[in-house]
Amino acid sequence: MPGDSKFGWRADVVQAIKELKPGVIRWGGSVIDPGGYKWKNGIGNRDLRTPFLNSVWGRIDSNDVGIDEFCRFCELVKAEPLICVSFGDGAKSAGELVEYCNGSSKTKWGTKRAHNGHLAPYHVKYWQVGNETNGDDPQYLAQIPDFVSSIRKASPSVQILSSFPSKKLLERIGGGLAFVAPHHYTTDFAACDREFNNLSEMFTNTDASDDVGIAVTEWNISAGDWGLGRAKQMTLDAALLNARYLHVLMRHCNRVKIACRSNLANSFCGAVIETNPGGVLKRPSYYAMQMYATHALPLPLETSAEANSLDVFACASERRDAVAIFIVNSNADPMSCTLRFERFAEPIQTTSLTTLTDQQAGRQRDVINNWEAPDRVSPTTRSFVGNQVTLAPLSVNVIMCR
């Protein structure tokens, strides 16, 4: 373990994720359900933990990263933890885990947390009940009230997320949920848009769910693909597609409050960073996510694009003194466009253009960053004045205006 590690986490990994500016990082997924992970086996002295068969990902897991290590990591990178509790492990275990994370050091499980080195509670706000369980499943419908009760008994002010949404689920426990949680592993963005619209209609037609939001707790361009399909997630094209999905999320930001790209590190090409003993490699999608985290503003604006091949989203600051225009050019040729601001009461001045693209201008969708060329796909920023802009081929762009 490096001498400059932070609670066991490599300093370079912590710094890379801090610079990514994630709002939420999720603990959970297929190892929780159906994998059957037992959180109590992953606390205490790491050297005394028993490794376990991670059947979903096909390996023996060292069990070095448990709930404490995860919460410490979120503290280090200044992100909110979102913890998915195992549905298969039962409501009682879920409540005990919430008490372990959020209870005072005088509670039974809070005492164990303090003994394991963290006296203060972690104050975990977001808790998801189960991973990828069908919201119409009779067993899930029967038991989720017990989970909500057990979690709230341990920490009354938390926000609870369901697994996959359904109308029956909302009718059963809608008032106890803060979010329903679909997963999107697709490039069919029209289908994602339809699902968000259908969920909003479902909320409208269900009395108990006026305040329920949407949390997409896993998303990417694909999930279970292997071979070249898996490797596609390392590419410039994946970064373009990730950016376009962020546009879908932001167009539904009245309901969609949380979205967790899967995965964060390594993950057989599927993550935003790769590590080896010598350093951290940032994938093209890392930079795309970072651009939106850095430049996105809270008020969505209405946009229209005459060039249908460009995917455009714009947003403004709450003081209405700044505008960010995101444009994805998925074409293998440069695109020229004119920005028009006729509906603004005051003149708009463009100030900068940040572009993520292949720095060698190879016009290859499947180009990747690698250890010999770690910055081949990376962003550059230049001053920009006027309303005529030429967008690089295969690029994600953000124009900042005042």
Side-chain angles (χ1 to χ4, degrees):
M1 186 175 292
D4 64 348
S5 65
K6 302 175 185 296
F7 303 110
W9 293 102
R10 281 171 41 171
D12 57 350
V13 172
V14 169
Q15 186 60 33
I17 302 307
K18 279 184 72 173
E19 293 172 1
L20 187 60
K21 301 181 179 180
V24 170
I25 300 177
R26 178 176 181 248
W27 164 275
S30 53
V31 179
I32 300 295
D33 288 320
Y37 175 80
K38 306 294 185 184
W39 70 269
K40 293 173 187 175
N41 295 335
I43 59 175
N45 189 330
R46 286 199 298 269
D47 293 335
L48 300 180
R49 296 179 195 171
T50 303
F52 65 91
L53 174 63
N54 185 333
S55 58
V56 177
W57 285 90
R59 63 167 183 255
I60 300 297
D61 195 303
S62 66
N63 213 5
D64 276 346
V65 177
I67 207 71
D68 288 287
E69 288 77 23
F70 170 71
C71 289
R72 292 265 197 182
F73 182 75
C74 290
E75 290 177 345
L76 290 168
V77 302
K78 302 186 184 307
E80 290 277 2
L82 188 165
I83 295 178
C84 181
V85 300
S86 170
F87 182 69
D89 207 18
K92 182 175 182 291
S93 176
E96 291 169 340
L97 175 55
V98 176
E99 184 177 284
Y100 182 85
C101 291
N102 290 0
S104 79
S105 59
K106 295 181 180 179
T107 62
K108 175 184 175 181
W109 288 98
T111 299
K112 292 183 182 294
R113 180 199 65 244
H115 177 75
N116 290 334
H118 203 278
L119 179 64
Y122 291 116
H123 300 296
V124 178
K125 183 190 302 183
Y126 302 110
W127 294 88
Q128 184 173 12
V129 180
N131 175 68
E132 295 193 348
T133 303
N134 190 323
D136 286 326
D137 180 79
Q139 188 176 6
Y140 191 78
L141 289 170
Q143 293 185 30
I144 193 169
D146 294 333
F147 276 86
V148 171
S149 176
S150 183
I151 289 170
R152 290 213 184 280
K153 182 179 179 181
S155 190
S157 63
V158 299
Q159 298 192 33
I160 299 176
L161 295 74
S162 76
S163 190
F164 286 163
S166 75
K167 190 170 187 296
K168 288 182 180 179
L169 176 65
L170 288 172
E171 291 170 344
R172 173 73 167 151
I173 198 68
L177 296 175
F179 298 94
V180 295
H183 289 175
H184 287 161
Y185 286 106
T186 181
T187 59
D188 187 348
F189 303 129
C192 298
D193 187 73
R194 286 194 300 273
E195 179 169 22
F196 289 145
N197 287 331
N198 291 338
L199 286 173
S200 293
E201 184 177 348
M202 186 189 301
F203 297 147
T204 302
N205 296 330
T206 307
D207 293 338
S209 56
D210 289 343
D211 298 323
V212 178
I214 299 171
V216 186
T217 50
E218 292 183 27
W219 68 267
N220 204 335
I221 62 173
S222 68
D225 288 340
W226 294 103
L228 292 178
R230 189 79 186 177
K232 181 83 171 177
Q233 297 179 60
M234 297 189 292
T235 65
L236 170 59
D237 198 37
L240 304 180
L241 292 165
N242 281 179
R244 291 187 60 199
Y245 181 72
L246 290 175
H247 288 189
V248 177
L249 294 173
M250 292 193 293
R251 291 180 185 120
H252 290 273
C253 63
N254 62 319
R255 284 287 190 180
V256 180
K257 307 298 182 183
I258 293 173
C260 304
R261 187 195 180 280
S262 178
N263 280 325
L264 186 64
N266 299 320
S267 186
F268 299 104
C269 311
V272 293
I273 65 169
E274 181 182 335
T275 63
N276 73 11
V280 174
L281 178 67
K282 298 172 181 177
R283 298 292 184 200
S285 290
Y286 173 97
Y287 292 113
M289 299 291 289
Q290 186 182 47
M291 285 173 65
Y292 285 82
T294 301
H295 295 290
L297 299 168
L299 297 181
L301 299 177
E302 181 181 342
T303 62
S304 60
E306 294 179 3
N308 292 328
S309 57
L310 299 178
D311 193 329
V312 183
F313 180 83
C315 46
S317 64
E318 291 178 326
R319 294 176 57 188
R320 302 173 192 274
D321 60 354
V323 172
I325 306 168
F326 294 93
I327 311 175
V328 180
N329 178 17
S330 298
N331 302 284
D333 296 304
M335 295 286 289
S336 297
C337 61
T338 302
L339 307 176
R340 296 204 299 265
F341 302 100
E342 291 96 334
R343 295 170 64 182
F344 282 78
E346 298 179 28
I348 298 293
Q349 178 184 350
T350 53
T351 60
S352 67
L353 169 63
T354 301
T355 299
L356 173 66
T357 192
D358 180 5
Q359 297 301 319
Q360 295 184 22
R363 303 193 186 188
Q364 300 175 51
R365 295 182 185 278
D366 290 338
V367 67
I368 65 171
N369 292 339
N370 58 71
W371 294 102
E372 285 70 39
D375 300 317
R376 177 163 177 175
V377 180
S378 58
T380 56
T381 300
R382 64 177 176 87
S383 298
F384 174 64
V385 177
N387 63 348
Q388 301 290 327
V389 59
T390 299
L391 305 171
L394 302 173
S395 63
V396 181
N397 306 270
V398 57
I399 299 169
M400 297 303 298
C401 310
R402 294 197 177 279

